[in-house]
Amino acid sequence: MTGVWVLVGTLVAGLLAGALLARRNGRIRAAGPARAEHALPAPVAAVLDTSATGPAVTLVQLSTTFCAPCRHARAVLGQLAERTDGLRHVELDVTHQPQVAQQLGVLRTPTTLALGPEGDELLRVSGVPKAPELLAALEAHLTRARPTD
């Protein structure tokens, strides 16, 4: 009988953990003061376009080689950037650059950082982002946040 209770307890704990992870996936978090003040790692700074005609927001997606959700995030972010003025998407593979993820405080992939033209972190999304919610959160930072369909 003890074995049945252990099995039930394990199943309940697994379901609760799964529900918590699903709830946190794709959640948008505003950049805190500590994150906004840190200098960007060189690979991230290198992908920013700081020219006067550059994008208002650059979405830097941190991915790893064998990450299945990263491919889905790439598709969502790529399509969003294609149809939104002032938005650019760049994917950065951190498989062989764990120090980049560590410097940015990234614990899982995919993680997407929304960076302003000067490299200031506007927000971050852990997991696969939801395009409408991300666009709404970035609307204040974009010159025109309406898709150009």
Side-chain angles (χ1 to χ4, degrees), residues 82-95:
E82 283 178 11
R83 40 175 240 252
T84 306
D85 291 335
L87 190 62
R88 177 176 171 235
H89 170 244
V90 178
E91 184 175 13
L92 184 62
D93 188 339
V94 295
T95 303

Side-chain angles (χ1 to χ4, degrees), residues 32-121:
R35 283 189 293 225
E37 294 172 3
H38 290 300
L40 291 174
V44 177
V47 300
L48 287 177
D49 181 359
T50 57
S51 66
T53 59
V57 177
T58 301
L59 298 174
V60 179
Q61 176 189 340
L62 302 173
S63 301
T64 51
T65 304
F66 299 105
C67 169
C70 294
R71 290 187 286 275
H72 185 67
R74 179 186 318 125
V76 169
L77 295 172
Q79 290 173 1
L80 186 63
E82 283 178 11
R83 40 175 240 252
T84 306
D85 291 335
L87 190 62
R88 177 176 171 235
H89 170 244
V90 178
E91 184 175 13
L92 184 62
D93 188 339
V94 295
T95 303
H96 302 293
Q97 304 176 63
Q99 71 280 5
V100 173
Q102 184 179 18
Q103 285 176 311
L104 294 169
V106 172
L107 300 176
R108 67 181 279 207
T109 57
T111 293
T112 304
L113 306 175
L115 303 175
E118 306 302 319
D120 49 321
E121 184 178 330

Side-chain angles (χ1 to χ4, degrees), residues 11 20 27 64 116:
L11 287 173
L20 178 64
R27 189 177 70 184
T64 51

Side-chain angles (χ1 to χ4, degrees), residues 2-17:
T2 303
V4 172
W5 286 112
V6 169
L7 178 63
V8 168
T10 303
L11 287 173
V12 168
L15 289 171
L16 289 174

Side-chain angles (χ1 to χ4, degrees), residues 12-28 69 107-110 125-130:
V12 168
L15 289 171
L16 289 174
L20 178 64
L21 288 174
R23 185 174 176 263
R24 294 185 66 200
N25 190 39
R27 189 177 70 184
I28 297 171
L107 300 176
R108 67 181 279 207
T109 57
V125 181
S126 185
V128 179
K130 297 168 184 74

